[in-house]
């Protein structure tokens, strides 16, 4: 019996042999390249470094100190802005002009002294340190996840890194923000409340539910739901806060990082940067004035993008302190603002917002970036 014929046709060879024949002399496309393997390993090492507990604590400390420094700088303006946004009857006449801002601050100083301009600031610092610490360290973590290497660096990933960081921080610290706003909103001497008194007042507030018109509905009047009180009161306006966090925190970090890229362009880098002596492999450090410009630009962009939702949130937060205590939802509050003042109502106090947020953001990013350098992160 003759031996079987041996074919030289590669299509008749077993699949493994055919794969070896087809890939002889060239790289197997099914295997990752050496450069890709190195990039993946570097990205993994970068993420592991940023998830180290020491790194997290150091970035959190730098962020907390940055937030406290920035808020202390603008505390008097913050007090006036809250009074304007929430339509305080005593200060509504001052809205709409820079002279009104100065007059309002003068009246507060005459009535309560310098302490009046910093009313609620203790609650602010109590809130802002964990808020800023969580925001900055969360940004570093989300950025490491979404942007593991330079090839993934896109504006959209920067935007979402900042937005997720802002959402994370506000989830933890929002009750302290409500307390701070309520302390800052009080203007009458006889109505002064302590921190504990404000907490009890907010906790026990029950909204007044208006009954349906029984003359129209006849006997078929549905039972009114029991008004809620308790811890849920400390999250009044939370929905609008979350809705506003995407444009605010997202655009803030995006604008800062983008401005930092512009200021590090080779043509102007010799004038705007200094070498990072503690970490030569890191990007060069912006000079103090350049870092302040980048942070101020971030504040300008983020304030413009998020201000209408901030107005709605303030009105919801003080809902139990003014009017008939009828609790309004986000959409109903927005309609009320529109009905009272039109589209301009969503930008009441925006000038103060710029005057406050631009230096606040500039100082915040400056202290954070310098804090990271000093702490070796």
């Amino acid at each position: 019996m003759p031996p079987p014929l041996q074919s030289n046709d590669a299509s008749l060879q077993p699949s493994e042999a055919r794969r070896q024949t087809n890939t002889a002399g060239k790289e197997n496309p099914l295997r990752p390249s050496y450069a890709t393997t190195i990039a993946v390993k570097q990205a993994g090492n970068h993420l592991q470094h940023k998830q180290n507990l020491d790194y997290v604590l150091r970035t959190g400390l730098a962020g907390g100190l940055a937030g406290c420094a920035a808020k202390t700088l603008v505390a008097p303006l913050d007090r006036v802005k809250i009074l304007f946004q929430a339509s305080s009857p005593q200060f509504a006449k001052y809205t709409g002009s820079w002279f009104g801002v100065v007059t309002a601050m003068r009246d507060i100083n005459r009535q309560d002294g310098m302490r009046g301009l910093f009313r609620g600031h203790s609650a602010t610092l109590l809130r802002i340190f964990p808020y800023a610490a969580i925001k900055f360290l969360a940004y570093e973590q989300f950025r490491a996840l979404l942007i593991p290497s330079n090839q993934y660096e896109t504006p959209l990933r920067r935007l979402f890194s900042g937005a997720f960081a802002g959402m994370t921080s506000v989830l933890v610290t929002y009750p302290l923000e409500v307390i701070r706003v309520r302390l800052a909103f009080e203007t009458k001497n006889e109505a002064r409340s302590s921190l504990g008194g404000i907490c009890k007042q907010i906790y026990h507030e029950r909204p007044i539910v208006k009954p349906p018109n029984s003359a129209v509905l006849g006997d078929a009047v549905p039972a009114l739901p029991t008004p809620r009180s308790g811890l849920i009161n400390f999250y009044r306006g939370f929905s609008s806060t979350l809705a506003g966090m995407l444009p605010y925190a997202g655009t803030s970090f995006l604008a800062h990082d983008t401005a930092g890229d512009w200021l590090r362009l080779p043509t102007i880098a010799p004038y705007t940067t200094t070498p990072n002596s503690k970490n030569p492999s890191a990007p060069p450090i912006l000079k103090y004035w350049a870092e302040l410009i980048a942070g101020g630009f971030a504040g300008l962009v983020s304030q413009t993008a998020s201000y209408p939702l901030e107005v709605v949130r303030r009105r919801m937060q003080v809902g139990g302190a003014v009017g008939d205590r009828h609790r309004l939802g986000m959409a109903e509050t927005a309609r009320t603002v529109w009905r009272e003042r039109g589209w301009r109502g969503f930008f009441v106090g925006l000038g103060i917002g710029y005057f406050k947020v631009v230096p606040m953001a500039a100082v915040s990013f400056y202290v954070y970036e310098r804090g990271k350098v000093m702490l070796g992160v």
Side-chain angles (χ1 to χ4, degrees), residues 126-186:
L126 184 64
R127 179 196 72 93
I128 200 63
F129 185 89
Y131 171 82
I134 293 171
K135 182 179 72 172
F136 279 107
L137 74 86
Y139 176 70
E140 297 290 350
Q141 297 302 311
F142 283 116
R143 181 182 170 85
L145 287 171
L146 297 177
I147 311 175
S149 62
N150 291 337
Q151 65 184 18
Y152 295 97
E153 192 90 30
T154 64
L156 188 61
R157 289 175 182 266
R158 285 178 172 178
L159 178 72
F160 278 103
S161 296
F164 292 151
M167 290 180 184
T168 302
S169 60
V170 81
L171 277 170
V172 178
T173 61
Y174 190 80
L176 291 171
E177 168 71 358
V178 174
I179 295 170
R180 180 185 74 87
V181 171
R182 292 293 289 271
L183 283 170
F185 186 72
E186 289 186 347

Side-chain angles (χ1 to χ4, degrees), residues 27-47:
E27 184 180 359
N28 189 339
L30 298 179
R31 296 180 58 189
S33 66
Y34 176 76
T36 302
T37 302
I38 294 299
V40 170
K41 288 183 178 180
Q42 289 177 344
N45 293 336
H46 176 70
L47 179 61

Side-chain angles (χ1 to χ4, degrees), residues 243-244 246-252 298-310 347 350 354:
L246 176 61
Y248 181 77
T251 55
S252 178
L300 182 70
V301 173
S302 60
Q303 181 73 355
T304 304
S306 65
Y307 197 79
L309 284 168
E310 186 180 353
F347 294 94
L350 180 58
Y354 284 144

Side-chain angles (χ1 to χ4, degrees), residues 42-353:
Q42 289 177 344
N45 293 336
H46 176 70
L47 179 61
Q48 185 178 10
H49 167 68
K50 290 207 168 186
Q51 290 179 340
N52 182 276
L53 179 61
D54 180 69
Y55 182 91
V56 170
L57 293 177
R58 288 171 184 265
T59 53
L61 177 60
L65 293 175
C68 290
K71 275 293 187 180
T72 301
L73 176 69
V74 299
L77 283 172
D78 200 30
R79 174 87 199 278
V80 174
K81 190 188 77 165
I82 289 174
L83 293 172
F84 282 7
Q85 284 181 331
S87 298
S88 171
Q90 185 177 346
F91 291 90
K93 59 186 176 182
Y94 297 136
T95 60
S97 68
W98 287 104
F99 181 74
V101 176
V102 176
T103 305
M105 295 178 67
R106 185 190 62 193
D107 286 357
I108 293 173
N109 184 56
R110 182 187 300 120
Q111 180 178 335
D112 302 320
M114 285 295 295
R115 294 182 62 182
L117 293 172
F118 287 87
R119 179 156 180 80
H121 190 56
S122 58
T124 298
L125 295 181
L126 184 64
R127 179 196 72 93
I128 200 63
F129 185 89
Y131 171 82
I134 293 171
K135 182 179 72 172
F136 279 107
L137 74 86
Y139 176 70
E140 297 290 350
Q141 297 302 311
F142 283 116
R143 181 182 170 85
L145 287 171
L146 297 177
I147 311 175
S149 62
N150 291 337
Q151 65 184 18
Y152 295 97
E153 192 90 30
T154 64
L156 188 61
R157 289 175 182 266
R158 285 178 172 178
L159 178 72
F160 278 103
S161 296
F164 292 151
M167 290 180 184
T168 302
S169 60
V170 81
L171 277 170
V172 178
T173 61
Y174 190 80
L176 291 171
E177 168 71 358
V178 174
I179 295 170
R180 180 185 74 87
V181 171
R182 292 293 289 271
L183 283 170
F185 186 72
E186 289 186 347
T187 57
K188 297 180 180 179
N189 287 327
E190 62 271 16
R192 286 288 182 262
S193 301
S194 64
L195 182 61
I198 283 287
C199 292
K200 290 180 181 178
Q201 179 184 346
I202 296 173
Y203 183 87
H204 293 291
E205 280 177 356
R206 288 178 178 269
I208 295 177
V209 180
K210 297 180 180 179
N213 191 336
S214 58
V216 176
L217 299 177
D219 295 331
V221 178
L224 294 177
T226 302
R228 294 178 298 174
S229 64
L231 294 177
I232 193 173
N233 287 343
F234 290 93
Y235 282 88
R236 183 178 295 150
F238 186 64
S239 58
S240 61
T241 300
L242 282 182
M245 193 51 63
L246 176 61
Y248 181 77
T251 55
S252 178
F253 282 105
L254 170 62
H256 175 264
D257 290 356
T258 302
D261 291 344
W262 294 340
L263 292 168
R264 290 185 178 91
L265 290 174
T267 53
I268 61 174
Y271 310 101
T272 60
T273 64
T274 57
N276 190 338
S277 58
K278 292 189 176 182
N279 188 4
S281 62
I285 302 172
L286 292 176
K287 293 183 178 180
Y288 75 92
W289 60 267
E291 186 62 64
L292 290 173
I293 288 176
F297 175 71
L300 182 70
V301 173
S302 60
Q303 181 73 355
T304 304
S306 65
Y307 197 79
L309 284 168
E310 186 180 353
V311 172
V312 172
R313 174 167 62 94
R314 298 297 190 200
R315 292 290 292 268
M316 293 176 70
Q317 286 175 336
V318 301
V322 295
D324 61 358
R325 294 191 296 134
H326 175 55
R327 184 172 295 166
L328 301 179
M330 181 178 173
E332 192 175 359
T333 302
R335 286 195 295 269
T336 301
V337 174
W338 177 271
R339 185 169 57 252
E340 291 176 354
R341 300 191 180 185
W343 67 269
R344 297 177 185 273
F346 293 99
F347 294 94
V348 170
L350 180 58
I352 307 176

